[in-house]
Every structure is written in C-alpha cells, then in structure tokens.
Amino acid sequence: MNRPISAELIEEHNAAHADILAEDYDALARKLARSGVDIDAIKDRVAGFTVAVPSWGAGRGGTRFAKFPIPGEPTNIHEKLEDCSVINQLSRLTPRVSPHFPWDKVSDYQALRDEAAALGLGWDAVNSNTFQDQVGLAHSYANGSLAAQDAGARAQAVEHNIECIEIGRQLGSSDLTVWVGDGTNFPGQQDFTRSLDRYLEAASQIYAALPDDWRMLLEHKMFEPAFYSTVISDWGSSFLAAQELGPKAKCLVDLGHHAPNVNIEQIVARLHRFGKLGGFHFNDSKYGDDDLDSGSINPHQLFLVFNELAEAEANPRGEFRPSYMIDQSHNVTDPIESMLSSAETIAQCFVKASLVDRVSLHDAQERNDTMMAFQALRRAYNIDVAPILARARVEAGGVYDMLAVYRQSRYRDRKAQERKPVGLGAGIV
Ligand code: AOS
Ligand code: ZN
Ligand code: ZN
Ligand code: ZN
C-alpha cells in the first residue's frame, strides 16, 4: 500500500500521546458508564462510520468568484487521489472518493481504480456535470440540460449521464448523483410544468440505463445559478421526481441548498419515512450554498440531522442506506486540513447522536414532557466525544492529532516542489 505520510512519524506521534488519550478515554468511559453506556460499543460503532470526500474539494476554491491557488495544490485526478489518501490515512474516516466528470476524466478507468486501491481508496457516487459548457460539446447548457427546450442539449445531457454510469461501473461505484443547474432568471422565461416534464422524460432515460444495484441520487437546490426558479428546487420536487422515476431514484440532501432557517432535519425524517433518503452532501452555510466547512457555522443542526438518522436507523422503513459525502469549497484553507477537520466534525455528530438516550427521549415524548425530551438531546450534544474518535482512529492506524501530524509531515511543501502550479480556473460548486 502506498501511504503518503511516513509511518514512523505517525507511530512516534501516537506513542507520545498514548498516555493523555488513555486518560481522557478512561475519564469519558467512567462518565458514560454512569448512564449505562459502554464506551467500547460506541467506539466500535464509530469504527464502521465513513464519509466520502469530493475529488473537487481537494483543490482550492471553485466558486464563482476568485480562486486563490496554493503551491502544491492538485491539478488532476491522480494528484487529487493522493491528497484524498492523506485525509484517509490520518483520519481513517474517508476511504472513498466521489468523482466528478468530465473534470476527472482519464483514458483508463480500470487503471484509475487500481491507482486508488493502491492508495487505500475506493469510489463513491459518480457526479455528472451538465451545468457548464465544455470545450468540444455540440450543444450549450446555457438554457438548461435535462430540462432544456433544445432536444439536442437534452440528448447530450442524457448521454453524458449514461457515460458517467459506465465510468462508475468501471470504478466500482454504484450511485449516480445528478444535480442540474436548470432553471430561469426571469418570470416567463420557461413554463414551470413543461420544463419539469422535460426533466422527467430525460431523467427517465438515464434511470433506464442504471444497473440493477445502482441508485440515482437527485440533488435539489433552491437557487443558483438560476435565481428565479430552479427545476428541482426543493425536497418536494426531488421527492416527486424520485417517486415518478422509480425505486432506484432517491433524494440527496445538500445541507446548503435550502431557504434560510428551513428545518433540514425534518426533511431528512420525511424522506426516510417514504423510503427516498438517498444521501447527503455535507457542508455548512450561513447565507446560501456557501459550501463552508461542515459544522463550522451550525454544528447543532448537523447533530440534529444525525439524530434523525439514528432514529431512522433504529426504525428502518424499507432500507436505510444513505450515502454520506462532503461537498465543500475551500477558499481560504488547505483543503486537506479542511476535510480532516470536517470529517472529524461529521463523525462527532454521528457519535453524539448515538449517545442520545432514546428510551428517555421517547418516554418524555410520550408523556409530553417537552423539557426532558429536549434535555435528552442536549445531554448527548454536550458530551465531548473527541476521545472516542481519537481512540477509534488510532486503533485503525490513523493519528491522534491529525492537523499536527499533517503539518509536521510538510506534505504540501513537498508537493509544491513536485507539482506544476495551478491555473486560475473557476466553476460552480
Ligand atoms: C451544486 O451546487 C451542488 O452542490 C452539486 O453537488 C455540484 O455538483 C458539486 O458541488 C460540484 O460542483
Ligand atoms: Zn452538493
Ligand atoms: Zn451546492
Ligand atoms: Zn455546493
């Protein structure tokens, strides 16, 4: 196995911190034991938790404004994979990469799959891109893709998605995430109903090309790049489209794609109730689709989402198989550091949700004891679960303090010597 960070560095670091980790873990074990919780059982649960990283998140920026590249930034999928493997080597939380096409296009996908495997990585949902024009495309997506009036643009978008499924098959993926920017900027620009009809017709052609064990994840987004209306604007539109397409179509919730103050955790519960919860794009947001680091603005909301997921897992209605992916834009940090920190935050929320005393919660709910129901959540949210994650990570071969070891490794400086400088491109995330 190809491991970019030196094993000796990791061992030395972990050995130097073994005592404080043991002290903190034992203290937390005693605290949890007082409420009848076995810390090791929780730690084993974390060991099974993973979240995928986006290939596009390995580079800096990617929003519609300026991009400020850093020396040593990856410029192709091979370099992105190497950076993703650093995140997984240190965190042991991110063993899969979610690729985006045509951005990650190569000539040999079997070789790419092997290359990833040699770095200890597999592949998560394949993302198609029909929200920007590419050199050499016969039809522009300026007026839409799957919902465009132009039949040529629609056919091209369908074909691209089918090609993404084929690439995904070669990589060993089994989900296709479809986010389209289709929509309007002016009242009257398009007919709401007819554009949805066109979307559904085109999406059904993609659906028909899905292998049996694949899922099509429909990602809704309220606005941007279209600012008046968007074809799949909300979870309702997404749900109805998924229902019409069939059982392999599910809904994907990007946390930044809702109106301000929307109760996202309730959306999660709704989608689960009707068997359509497909997955997540984790990020945080203050104003819109900000793509800030997960939990950096509202960690409590992330916890509440995981609380619904814990409820859903305990009460599966049909299948419970949401896929977890990060979708962030790193404009002012080293993307590796942001994803290390985000993966940790996401896992923390997962653990805290696992610590909710569901018997007390349900009991308080039954008795209409609002304060105690709230306290059941609050008690779990207030626990510092860092020692559980650190112990699980170290036992799996990761490191105690991920950012410290990453900085000590001087990985980015080394890459700055090896890699060619990044161009000043722009795109939408
Ligand atoms: C766009 O806003 C969405 O979040 C999509 O997931 C998009 O495909 C991804 O961010 C890459 O641009
Ligand atoms: Zn997204
Ligand atoms: Zn987005
Ligand atoms: Zn985004």
Side-chain angles (χ1 to χ4, degrees):
M1 181 96 42
N2 210 339
R3 295 290 193 197
I5 306 292
S6 124
E8 292 87 74
L9 178 62
I10 293 177
E11 272 162 38
E12 261 171 43
H13 170 90
N14 286 346
H17 295 86
D19 289 349
I20 58 165
L21 175 54
E23 207 174 291
D24 291 349
Y25 189 82
D26 293 345
L28 182 55
R30 285 193 295 275
K31 177 184 164 71
L32 294 177
R34 284 199 294 274
S35 8
V37 175
D38 171 15
I39 196 170
D40 289 327
I42 300 292
K43 187 197 64 189
D44 292 346
R45 207 170 132 70
V46 190
F49 179 83
T50 58
V51 55
V53 291
S55 65
W56 61 96
R60 282 253 295 203
T63 52
R64 40 262 143 219
F65 299 110
K67 181 168 159 63
F68 301 100
I70 48 168
E73 187 176 329
T75 56
N76 55 48
I77 184 62
H78 310 289
E79 294 174 352
K80 288 174 186 175
L81 278 178
E82 196 185 5
D83 289 9
C84 292
S85 79
V86 171
I87 302 167
N88 189 46
Q89 188 186 357
L90 299 177
S91 72
R92 302 296 160 147
L93 285 169
T94 61
R96 289 176 315 284
V97 177
S98 186
H100 218 307
F101 296 100
W103 295 337
D104 297 328
K105 204 175 170 92
V106 296
S107 54
D108 183 346
Y109 290 103
Q110 190 52 54
L112 191 66
R113 183 179 182 164
D114 295 344
E115 186 180 324
L119 287 162
L121 298 171
W123 299 89
D124 210 276
V126 176
N127 297 260
S128 59
N129 180 341
T130 62
F131 50 82
Q132 67 181 176
D133 287 342
Q134 309 288 341
V135 181
L137 285 187
H139 303 270
S140 170
Y141 294 129
N143 295 304
S145 59
L146 296 179
Q149 279 99 333
D150 173 12
R154 288 203 302 278
Q156 178 179 281
V158 168
E159 200 186 306
H160 167 65
N161 275 280
I162 293 175
E163 187 194 351
C164 286
I165 297 173
E166 184 40 43
I167 294 172
R169 283 170 82 133
Q170 295 180 49
L171 291 176
S173 172
S174 59
D175 286 333
L176 171 72
T177 296
V178 181
W179 171 68
V180 295
D182 296 38
T184 65
N185 282 335
F186 289 89
Q189 184 182 339
Q190 284 183 13
D191 180 280
F192 293 144
T193 307
R194 288 191 198 101
S195 58
L196 182 59
D197 284 344
R198 291 191 293 267
Y199 170 89
L200 288 169
E201 158 59 24
S204 70
Q205 293 174 37
I206 302 168
Y207 186 91
L210 285 176
D212 286 347
D213 56 341
W214 272 58
R215 300 183 307 173
M216 185 168 167
L217 306 178
L218 309 182
E219 182 176 1
H220 60 273
K221 174 164 168 169
M222 188 176 62
F223 69 94
E224 194 197 37
F227 287 96
Y228 170 60
S229 74
T230 289
V231 178
I232 301 297
S233 51
D234 48 27
W235 74 273
S237 309
S238 176
F239 177 79
L240 291 166
Q243 199 170 39
E244 194 150 319
L245 288 172
K248 290 187 273 182
K250 308 277 177 190
C251 304
L252 183 141
V253 179
D254 181 311
L255 297 191
H257 289 188
H258 307 89
N261 305 327
V262 157
N263 188 337
I264 300 175
E265 55 273 24
Q266 188 176 23
I267 292 175
V268 172
R270 287 285 183 273
L271 291 174
H272 171 65
R273 166 63 181 79
F274 295 100
K276 285 296 186 191
L277 183 64
F280 290 86
H281 273 178
F282 290 120
N283 51 47
D284 213 334
S285 139
K286 181 142 183 77
Y287 303 105
D289 188 22
D290 308 338
D291 287 322
L292 299 173
D293 287 18
S294 298
S296 61
I297 304 290
N298 194 347
H300 189 239
Q301 181 187 56
L302 189 58
F303 161 73
L304 294 175
V305 165
F306 273 101
N307 178 54
E308 292 307 323
L309 289 165
E311 281 292 333
E313 188 173 6
N315 303 284
R317 310 245 179 167
E319 68 161 21
F320 176 78
R321 192 164 66 89
S323 58
Y324 299 141
M325 292 165 274
I326 290 174
D327 181 7
Q328 298 176 172
S329 180
H330 311 111
N331 301 310
V332 291
T333 52
D334 178 324
I336 290 181
E337 295 193 355
S338 263
M339 287 196 275
L340 285 170
S341 155
S342 300
E344 164 98 345
T345 302
I346 294 165
Q348 266 171 6
C349 289
F350 167 79
V351 177
K352 288 182 184 207
S354 307
L355 289 174
V356 170
D357 179 345
R358 284 190 194 277
V359 174
S360 305
L361 175 66
H362 297 155
D363 178 58
Q365 288 171 346
E366 288 303 316
R367 291 183 290 103
N368 288 315
D369 190 338
T370 308
M371 182 48 73
M372 285 308 134
F374 171 61
Q375 291 302 320
L377 297 184
R378 188 39 49 107
R379 272 198 306 278
Y381 180 69
N382 280 340
I383 298 171
D384 177 2
V385 297
I388 304 182
L389 290 167
R391 174 60 71 82
R393 189 159 67 230
V394 167
E395 285 182 358
V399 301
Y400 173 74
D401 184 337
M402 300 185 285
L403 294 181
V405 170
Y406 174 66
R407 290 199 172 190
Q408 235 184 315
S409 77
R410 307 190 65 76
Y411 174 81
R412 194 62 81 188
D413 296 341
R414 284 188 277 127
K415 295 300 138 185
Q417 306 301 315
E418 293 165 20
R419 294 175 179 173
K420 68 174 193 306
V422 139
L424 300 171
I428 296 168
V429 293

